[in-house]
Amino acid sequence: MFGRLKALPADPILGLLAKYREDTNSKKIDLGVGVYKNEAGHTAILDCVKKAEKYRNDNEDTKVYIGPTGSPIFNDEMSKLIFGHHKVLLENRARTVSTPGGTGALRVAAEFIKSCKAGATIWVSNPTWANHTGLFEAAGLTVKTYPYYDYENKTLDFDGMLAALKEVSADDAVLLHACCHNPSGMDLNNEQWQQVAEVAKSVGFLPVVDMAYQGFGEGLDEDAYGLRLMADSVEEMIVCSSCSKNFGLYRERIGAITIIGQSSSAVDVANSVLLYVIRVIYSMPPAHGAALVETILHSDELRNQWHAELKEMRDRINGNRQLLVDKLIEKGVTRDFSFITRQMGMFSLLGITPEQVQQLQDEYSIYMVGSSRMSIAGIANSNVDYLAESIAKVL
Ligand code: LMR
C-alpha cells in the first residue's frame, strides 16, 4: 500500500524551523514560523500561564472524559473574549466549543460547511495563510481566491476584494482574517469592515472569520471589531479562534469554533451537527490548554497580568517594525519599506524575490517563508544590524 505514495516536500512554514535548528551559524535569524520571541529570541511561557499551571496542578482531581464540546467554562469565557457584550450572546444565537488549536477549529469548520453543502466553495484572500488551501481542500471544499493584497503598492486591493465578493454565490463561504492578516499584515479598517459586512448581508454568503492573533494588532476589543460588526449584519457566521499566540500556548493546541445561527433553536440544530463532526474526527478536544485559559480568564489577577503580558508582546512587535525600517535606511537602502510600519501583527511581506529570500537563507542564515513573509517577532536589537545589512546586500 505505502509503495504507491510519492514523497511530499516539507511544509513551507514548518520545514523552515527544522532547517533553522540545524544551521550552525551563530548569526542565524529565524523570521519563519509565527511564534512570538522575546528580545533574547526565546519563546518564554507567560507568567500568568505558569501561575495557572500551578493552580491546576494543585486543584485538578480527575482526567475523566469531558465530551466533544470541551469545558463549558472555557467556551463561555472564549465567547465573551470574542464577542464582548454583543447581541449574538444576549440573543443566545452563538455556540462555542473548544478545538485542538485554531487549525483544528478551521478543519471542524470545513467539515461542518461540507455537512451544510457537499463540495461547497470557500473563498480565501490572495494571499492567505499557506495552510488554508490545503486544509479546506483536504476536507473536500472547493477553494477559490479573491483579490486582497496589492503587491505593487504594498496596500490593500479593497476595490478588487469588494468587486469579487459581490460576485460570490449565496451558498459559498468566504474566509476573512479578523486581524493581523497572515501573511501580509494588511488589515481592513473599520469602514472597510462595514462595507464587507454589507456585501455579506446583501449577497448572503457565509462569513468564516479566522482570528488567530486577537490582541496582537491593536488590542483585544479593537482586533475583534470587524467580526463583531459582521455579526451585527448577518444571520449566520463562523469564527475560528486560537489561543496559541495570545496565550503563548502553541503546543497545547487550544482554540475554539463559534457558530452563530439565525435563532437560538436554529443554532442548536447546527450545534448538534457540529458536535457530530467533532465526534467522528477526534471525539473530544484536549483539556489542558483550555483549563489554563479558563483559569486565567476567571481570575481578575491573572486576567490583568495576561493583558499586561499581551501588551508587552504587541508593543515589542510594533517597535520592531519601526526598528527595521529605520535600520534599512541607516544601511543605505533607498527602496521604500515604510509600509512595514503601517501593517499589523506578526507578519509582513518584505516584497523581495524568491531568489533573494533563498540567498538570505543560504548566504546569511536568515530564514523567512519563500513569499518573503517575515515573522516580525524574530527581529531584536541584537540582530537588526545584521538583518538590515544582509537585506541591503541581497537587494
Ligand atoms: C504561521 O503562520 O507561521 C503559524 O500560524 C504557524 C503555522 O502553523 O503555520
Side-chain angles (χ1 to χ4, degrees):
M1 187 70 99
F2 296 175
R4 299 189 180 111
L5 296 176
K6 287 206 169 60
L8 292 175
D11 178 85
I13 297 174
L14 301 182
L16 278 180
L17 250 187
K19 281 194 185 159
Y20 173 80
R21 284 183 184 144
E22 280 163 19
D23 193 327
T24 52
N25 183 348
S26 60
K27 289 184 165 173
K28 65 182 178 177
I29 305 177
D30 178 16
L31 306 177
V33 69
V35 297
Y36 178 79
K37 289 167 192 273
N38 62 20
E39 190 55 33
H42 181 53
T43 307
I45 301 175
L46 300 187
D47 278 343
C48 60
V49 168
K50 277 278 183 206
K51 288 184 187 160
E53 252 168 347
K54 173 151 181 22
Y55 175 84
R56 299 304 299 190
N57 218 15
D58 294 346
N59 292 282
E60 197 170 43
D61 63 357
T62 180
K63 296 282 187 194
V64 76
Y65 287 134
I66 198 161
T69 54
S71 161
I73 302 173
F74 168 85
N75 297 339
D76 188 47
E77 290 293 348
M78 282 302 283
S79 60
K80 286 190 269 185
L81 197 61
I82 299 164
F83 290 105
H85 302 291
H86 198 279
K87 68 172 183 180
V88 293
L89 300 187
L90 304 175
E91 293 166 0
N92 196 24
R93 287 172 45 221
R95 299 289 177 271
T96 299
V97 303
S98 61
T99 54
T103 307
L106 287 162
R107 180 60 190 249
V108 169
E111 298 286 346
F112 174 78
I113 292 167
K114 199 171 67 181
S115 304
C116 301
K117 185 192 172 197
T121 295
I122 185 158
W123 294 79
V124 301
S125 60
N126 177 21
T128 194
W129 180 44
N131 205 26
H132 274 146
T133 301
L135 183 155
F136 290 134
E137 284 178 351
L141 300 186
T142 302
V143 179
K144 293 187 180 163
T145 59
Y146 58 84
Y148 188 81
Y149 187 60
D150 176 344
Y151 286 88
E152 202 174 311
N153 298 307
K154 314 281 188 272
T155 179
L156 200 65
D157 178 6
F158 187 64
D159 291 344
M161 173 184 182
L162 219 51
L165 294 186
K166 284 181 185 160
E167 299 305 319
V168 314
S169 146
D171 53 7
D172 287 352
V174 172
L175 183 87
L176 299 156
H177 298 226
C179 59
C180 309
H181 184 268
N182 181 0
S184 73
M186 218 49 241
D187 285 344
L188 298 172
N189 64 30
N190 294 350
E191 193 194 314
Q192 288 164 335
W193 268 109
Q194 181 66 52
Q195 291 185 56
V196 173
E198 280 162 18
V199 173
K201 186 177 181 182
S202 66
V203 173
F205 62 72
L206 175 73
V208 179
V209 182
D210 184 1
M211 183 153 66
Y213 294 89
Q214 187 180 9
F216 269 64
E218 292 179 272
L220 286 165
D221 287 325
E222 293 85 343
D223 292 352
Y225 179 89
L227 76 84
R228 292 177 191 174
L229 207 62
M230 182 64 77
D232 283 341
S233 303
V234 298
E235 293 187 324
E236 294 177 346
M237 174 172 158
I238 298 178
V239 179
C240 299
S241 44
S242 168
C243 303
S244 295
K245 330 281 173 170
N246 52 11
F247 286 89
L249 287 171
Y250 307 91
R251 64 173 64 167
E252 299 298 351
R253 310 311 299 138
I254 179 63
I257 179 169
T258 303
I259 51 171
I260 295 172
Q262 290 178 355
S263 65
S264 176
S265 55
V267 79
D268 276 337
V269 173
N271 196 43
S272 70
V273 175
L274 189 73
L275 297 185
Y276 175 76
V277 160
I278 290 170
R279 176 67 170 149
V280 297
I281 309 180
Y282 54 81
S283 192
M284 42 197 104
H288 186 67
L292 302 181
V293 171
E294 73 181 44
T295 303
I296 292 167
L297 296 179
H298 232 54
S299 144
D300 285 345
E301 188 201 327
L302 291 186
R303 176 191 278 266
N304 288 339
Q305 185 174 5
W306 175 56
H307 285 177
E309 291 186 272
L310 183 57
K311 181 173 184 321
E312 197 182 316
M313 293 194 279
R314 177 169 67 239
D315 289 350
R316 206 184 92 73
I317 292 176
N318 285 335
N320 281 351
R321 291 181 172 277
Q322 191 64 55
L323 183 67
L324 177 61
V325 172
D326 291 348
K327 277 290 169 197
L328 286 168
I329 294 170
E330 197 184 302
K331 302 293 174 191
V333 172
T334 50
R335 194 195 285 187
D336 180 13
F337 283 100
S338 61
F339 64 89
I340 293 173
T341 62
R342 295 189 289 276
Q343 298 174 340
M344 306 300 297
M346 196 84 107
F347 307 112
S348 273
L349 289 169
L350 190 57
I352 60 175
T353 64
E355 292 74 25
Q356 289 167 326
V357 170
Q358 197 57 48
Q359 198 184 347
L360 280 173
Q361 192 182 123
D362 295 343
E363 293 175 25
Y364 302 96
S365 298
I366 294 171
Y367 291 79
M368 64 181 75
V369 181
S371 60
S372 80
R373 187 196 81 166
M374 294 183 299
S375 175
I376 303 288
I379 301 170
N381 281 303
S382 56
N383 66 23
V384 69
D385 279 285
Y386 177 66
L387 173 63
E389 277 160 22
S390 308
I391 293 174
K393 283 183 196 148
V394 305
L395 286 176

